[in-house]
Amino acid sequence: VLLEEYCQRNPVHGLIIVSKDYARLTLGARMVVKLMHMMFPGEGKWDSVVFAWTHKDLNAKKVANLGKIVQHVNKEIGGNFHRSCAVSVPESEAHDLTQFDVHVDEILQNSGVGQFQRPTAEKLTELVVDTMGDQFGNAEEVLKK
């Protein structure tokens, strides 16, 4: 309810999704992306999304293939984001937030993720069931319970 009230009164400039897994989106990140699809249905929202992968210092080979990873994630989420970067903790040699800072500055210049749309209970249930897989059964059965 607090998030809903905030989104209805204030523009959401952007969304930053952070993941340490370069091979796929974690369950939590997938839920965030699907919620974003549902709550901000406009197409322009992807211009205001930044994916930041962590542990850059431990994943040099994967960071080199970030373009392919972005393509894979876009396919997985049905999105079209293009702002991505790899970051690491300040104690590492690879610590550099320059690209991240550039992306944040860019999304602040955009019109934001769009108009908030409140999801129904049914849509939220479908989202959870879809994201979690067959663990709960189908959405119609879950809603009847």
Side-chain angles (χ1 to χ4, degrees), residues 101-135:
D101 291 340
V102 166
H103 288 317
V104 170
D105 287 343
E106 288 170 348
I107 65 174
L108 289 174
Q109 303 303 314
N110 287 341
S111 59
V113 294
Q115 183 66 38
F116 174 78
Q117 180 178 327
R118 182 178 191 218
T120 63
E122 291 83 5
K123 289 290 185 188
L124 287 171
T125 302
E126 288 174 15
L127 179 140
V128 170
V129 170
D130 179 54
T131 305
M132 297 296 289
D134 293 331
Q135 184 175 347

Side-chain angles (χ1 to χ4, degrees), residues 16-141:
I16 299 169
I17 300 175
V18 180
S19 179
K20 68 177 181 177
D21 193 334
Y22 285 72
R24 63 182 177 84
L25 282 181
T26 61
L27 180 63
R30 281 197 311 255
M31 290 288 285
V32 167
V33 169
K34 288 181 180 191
L35 278 170
M36 183 176 173
H37 267 307
M38 187 180 297
M39 296 187 316
F40 300 97
E43 290 300 315
K45 65 182 165 246
W46 296 111
D47 288 334
S48 298
V49 175
V50 176
F51 274 81
W53 279 273
T54 61
H55 302 280
K56 176 181 178 179
D57 50 323
L58 303 176
N59 294 291
K61 188 174 182 181
K62 292 177 182 175
V63 170
N65 291 315
L66 203 53
K68 289 180 182 178
I69 294 168
V70 167
Q71 290 174 347
H72 171 75
V73 172
N74 270 326
K75 185 177 179 181
E76 184 178 338
I77 65 174
N80 189 25
F81 79 93
H82 54 91
R83 299 186 202 296
S84 64
C85 58
V87 297
S88 59
V89 296
E91 292 79 24
S92 78
E93 291 178 23
H95 177 66
D96 180 8
L97 296 177
T98 305
Q99 190 62 46
F100 179 77
D101 291 340
V102 166
H103 288 317
V104 170
D105 287 343
E106 288 170 348
I107 65 174
L108 289 174
Q109 303 303 314
N110 287 341
S111 59
V113 294
Q115 183 66 38
F116 174 78
Q117 180 178 327
R118 182 178 191 218
T120 63
E122 291 83 5
K123 289 290 185 188
L124 287 171
T125 302
E126 288 174 15
L127 179 140
V128 170
V129 170
D130 179 54
T131 305
M132 297 296 289
D134 293 331
Q135 184 175 347
F136 293 117
N138 77 31
E140 290 179 12
E141 292 174 11

